[in-house]
């Protein structure tokens, strides 16, 4: 069998090593660098060994698998059970998300009132395996993710913030 037809599974460690090297060498926007690398590798990364946390009350588990020693980024593997849904939120830093398994829905919102964090639904998408999305910090990119399928979904997240001391400091809550 020719080598190019063999599926080669990549460890998450390989992704992190390549990501760190790319950020060390590249002067471009980190979000763009991460998104490009994630596009190249998402179909090969094995996240299963990193899905160790139990699901929260919203039906998903957040697993922080790496924080950059220089504080430039954090990497999470998230498992979404059927029916899982986040609260409406934005982020305090750039981020990239890749769908490694299943399908994830994303409702997008626009800010109605900055003072009260009130939003209104503006669009939605469904993203399957291999899809990559990037998000900018608040007030851009206000969204909520969900799994409306009947089987689990798994996503890889990289955020431009150190989550080692406060795993939820990336989120900015919003409401209807």
């Amino acid at each position: 069998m020719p080598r190019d037809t063999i599926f080669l599974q990549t460890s998450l460690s390989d992704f992190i090593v390549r990501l760190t090297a790319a950020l060390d060498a590249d002067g471009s926007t980190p979000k763009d660098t991460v998104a490009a690398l994630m596009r190249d590798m998402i179909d090969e990364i094995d996240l299963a060994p990193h899905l160790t946390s139990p699901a929260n009350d919203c039906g998903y588990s957040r697993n922080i698998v790496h924080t950059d020693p220089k504080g430039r980024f954090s990497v999470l593997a998230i498992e979404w059970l059927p029916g899982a849904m986040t609260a409406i939120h934005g982020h305090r830093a750039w981020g990239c998300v890749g769908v490694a398994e299943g399908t994830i829905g994303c409702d997008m919102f626009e800010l109605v009132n900055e003072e009260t964090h009130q939003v209104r639904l503006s669009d939605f998408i469904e993203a399957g395996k291999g899809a990559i999305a990037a998000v900018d910090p608040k007030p851009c990119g206000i969204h909520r993710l969900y799994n409306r399928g009947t089987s689990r979904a798994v996503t890889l997240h990289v955020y431009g913030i150190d989550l080692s001391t406060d795993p939820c400091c990336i989120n900015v809550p919003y409401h209807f």
Side-chain angles (χ1 to χ4, degrees), residues 56-147:
N56 61 21
D57 291 342
C58 296
Y60 61 93
S61 67
R62 296 174 83 239
N63 303 271
I64 298 176
V65 296
H66 179 77
T67 54
D68 178 54
K70 296 178 183 177
R72 297 174 295 178
F73 66 91
S74 297
V75 179
L76 290 82
I78 300 183
E79 179 178 26
W80 304 85
L81 300 178
M85 181 182 290
T86 68
I88 300 168
H89 65 283
H91 294 293
R92 299 183 196 285
W94 60 264
C96 292
V97 178
V99 181
E101 179 183 326
T103 300
I104 288 292
C106 180
D107 290 337
M108 292 162 277
F109 298 86
E110 58 186 37
L111 189 59
V112 174
N113 185 315
E114 189 170 346
E115 187 175 303
T116 64
H117 284 200
Q118 185 178 2
V119 297
R120 76 172 150 246
L121 184 65
S122 61
D123 204 357
F124 67 93
I125 61 168
E126 294 272 329
K129 181 177 168 113
I132 306 296
V135 65
D136 290 316
K138 69 175 189 171
C140 302
I142 301 168
H143 61 281
R144 110 176 117 201
L145 300 174
Y146 51 85
N147 178 2

